[in-house]
């Protein structure tokens, strides 16, 4: 890894850390209730690794707009389901994390189904 790449990575880490700190300050200043904060935090810690691994494992299709459309649609569906479940359960539960494995498999299956058809039709 060269110096320029390391400097860029360090800058991104500092930027992300700053955004997290700013978000915490806003949450404290606005007086967001515990339930909303915990559900939002759970959503972030649930969604970031799930879609991070999904996008990383899909490098082959990064240049295809269909992949990004599918990823966006899956993200919207994931978000709606997560918030519906969190609303019904009342509070995010860390016991939900094993669901990541199942949901990741569903994301990969959807990607392979949709993009394999697109690859075959090209």
């Amino acid at each position: 890894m060269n110096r320029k790449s390391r400097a860029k990575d360090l800058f991104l880490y500092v930027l992300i850390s700053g955004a997290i700190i700013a978000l915490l300050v806003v949450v404290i200043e606005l007086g967001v209730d515990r339930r909303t904060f915990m559900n939002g935090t759970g959503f972030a810690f649930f969604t970031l690794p799930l879609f991070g691994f999904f996008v990383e494992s899909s490098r082959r299709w990064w240049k295809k707009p269909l992949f990004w459309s599918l990823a966006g649609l899956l993200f919207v569906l994931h978000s709606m389901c997560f918030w519906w479940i969190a609303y019904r359960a009342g509070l995010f539960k860390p016991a939900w994390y094993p669901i990541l494995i199942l949901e990741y498999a569903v994301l990969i299956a959807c990607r392979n189904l949709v993009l394999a058809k697109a690859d075959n039709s090209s």
Side-chain angles (χ1 to χ4, degrees):
M1 188 183 283
N2 63 23
R3 274 192 138 163
K4 193 173 187 176
S5 179
R6 285 184 188 161
K8 181 181 170 185
D9 287 348
L10 179 62
F11 174 74
L12 288 174
Y13 294 144
V14 169
L15 190 66
I16 291 167
S17 300
I20 290 170
I21 291 168
L23 179 65
L24 288 174
V25 168
V26 168
V27 164
I28 291 167
E29 287 297 316
L30 292 178
V32 174
D33 68 327
R34 180 176 182 271
R35 176 183 172 181
T36 302
F37 178 74
M38 291 304 291
N39 284 342
T41 303
F43 177 74
F45 282 113
F46 199 85
T47 303
L48 288 173
L50 176 67
F51 280 89
F53 285 126
F54 175 67
V55 169
E56 179 61 31
S57 70
S58 303
R59 280 183 181 266
R60 173 180 166 193
W61 293 288
W62 281 7
K63 293 183 180 179
K64 292 190 178 277
L66 180 59
F67 166 72
W68 295 107
S69 298
L70 177 65
L73 175 66
L74 292 171
F75 175 77
V76 169
L77 290 172
H78 163 83
S79 301
M80 290 170 53
C81 290
F82 181 94
W83 286 105
W84 182 77
I85 292 167
Y87 173 77
R88 305 243 329 151
L91 191 63
F92 174 79
K93 295 172 178 54
W96 296 352
Y97 281 114
I99 296 171
L100 278 172
I101 297 165
L102 177 63
E103 190 173 357
Y104 183 71
V106 170
L107 293 177
I108 296 298
C110 289
R111 179 201 67 194
N112 292 345
L113 181 69
V114 170
L115 293 171
K117 283 185 179 182
D119 284 346
N120 291 337
S121 67
S122 300

